[in-house]
Amino acid sequence: MALLPILRYPDPRLHTVAKPVAKVDDSIRRLIDDMAETMYEAPGIGLAATQVDVHKRVVVIDVSEDHSELLVLVNPTIIDRQGAQVCEEGCLSVPGVYEKVERAEAVTVRALDRDGKSFELEAEGLLAICIQHEIDHLDGKVFIEYLSQLKLNRIKTKLAKKARITA
Ligand code: GNR
Ligand code: NI
């Protein structure tokens, strides 16, 4: 297992649209294991392959308190969405920024598991938010891009100042 470096906004590679996985083989399973280790170490409740500069449609999520519910989604698609909820989101690629985003309250997702087997999952609340946040990453979208231009510009300025200090 290995810890993978996480891309930070505004890295343009975060806007890459990830390609579907043709076959869930050992190299994909290694990527899944490394992503899970990286997510737990960060710590975060989700990680998309895009964030570690691998542009394949692979996501790991664990919203449990004790790292006991690892969810692996390969080639995920949302096949149903219901309702709406607003939650203050954060992102490992945008550290220190927390902003409210509106998303579906519940989603049904279809994906492949780590053995390449297709499954469906109904999710609501935080898990539903996380699934939507991670699939956005695979489509090259970062959560702050839902905010107003004014808020986004303020965040960009703040991140640029922080990058100057830490550089
Ligand atoms: O760790 C994370 N927490 C979080 C909180 C609210 C909404 C979404 C998230 S996902 C984030 C990890 C991450 O950046 N995944 O892409
Ligand atoms: Ni994120």
Side-chain angles (χ1 to χ4, degrees), residues 46-48 51 89-94 133-134 137 141-143:
L47 189 70
Q51 294 176 276
E89 298 195 12
C91 181
L92 295 172
S93 295
V94 198
H133 176 116
E134 303 312 337
H137 277 303
K141 183 148 184 161
V142 179
F143 83 105

Side-chain angles (χ1 to χ4, degrees), residues 67-120:
H67 298 182
S68 64
E69 290 165 35
L70 180 65
L71 176 64
V72 174
L73 302 174
V74 176
N75 298 345
T77 49
I78 293 177
I79 56 176
D80 191 34
R81 48 185 88 226
Q82 282 179 337
Q85 61 178 327
V86 175
C87 170
E88 187 150 287
E89 298 195 12
C91 181
L92 295 172
S93 295
V94 198
V97 173
Y98 303 90
E99 295 285 345
K100 285 180 184 165
V101 176
E102 183 180 320
R103 300 202 186 260
E105 155 64 18
V107 295
T108 305
V109 65
R110 182 180 295 152
L112 305 178
D113 67 15
R114 65 176 290 128
D115 300 314
K117 194 168 167 293
S118 178
F119 69 102
E120 280 181 25

Side-chain angles (χ1 to χ4, degrees), residues 1-164:
M1 302 249 277
L3 289 175
L4 307 170
I6 298 175
L7 299 180
R8 298 277 182 98
Y9 188 90
D11 192 310
R13 291 171 289 181
L14 287 169
H15 298 122
T16 312
V17 178
K19 293 207 167 66
V21 171
K23 185 168 186 285
V24 183
D25 57 15
D26 286 345
S27 78
I28 295 294
R29 280 184 281 273
R30 191 172 318 124
L31 171 65
I32 289 166
D33 291 341
D34 290 345
M35 285 174 58
E37 189 184 1
T38 303
M39 171 183 72
Y40 288 132
E41 199 270 341
I45 59 170
L47 189 70
T50 307
Q51 294 176 276
V52 293
D53 201 23
V54 176
H55 302 288
K56 297 177 183 171
R57 302 190 77 84
V58 176
V59 160
V60 294
I61 292 174
D62 192 337
V63 297
S64 75
E65 306 248 300
D66 57 354
H67 298 182
S68 64
E69 290 165 35
L70 180 65
L71 176 64
V72 174
L73 302 174
V74 176
N75 298 345
T77 49
I78 293 177
I79 56 176
D80 191 34
R81 48 185 88 226
Q82 282 179 337
Q85 61 178 327
V86 175
C87 170
E88 187 150 287
E89 298 195 12
C91 181
L92 295 172
S93 295
V94 198
V97 173
Y98 303 90
E99 295 285 345
K100 285 180 184 165
V101 176
E102 183 180 320
R103 300 202 186 260
E105 155 64 18
V107 295
T108 305
V109 65
R110 182 180 295 152
L112 305 178
D113 67 15
R114 65 176 290 128
D115 300 314
K117 194 168 167 293
S118 178
F119 69 102
E120 280 181 25
L121 174 77
E122 287 175 28
E124 57 177 32
L126 183 60
L127 180 57
I129 288 166
C130 198
I131 289 169
Q132 293 170 81
H133 176 116
E134 303 312 337
I135 293 176
D136 274 352
H137 277 303
L138 300 181
D139 290 329
K141 183 148 184 161
V142 179
F143 83 105
I144 52 175
E145 290 159 0
Y146 286 108
L147 306 175
S148 68
Q149 197 56 243
L150 177 67
K151 272 195 176 177
L152 184 57
N153 281 334
R154 284 178 177 158
I155 289 166
K156 282 180 181 169
T157 304
K158 178 177 151 181
L159 291 172
K161 279 188 187 148
K162 204 168 80 175
R164 247 183 288 146

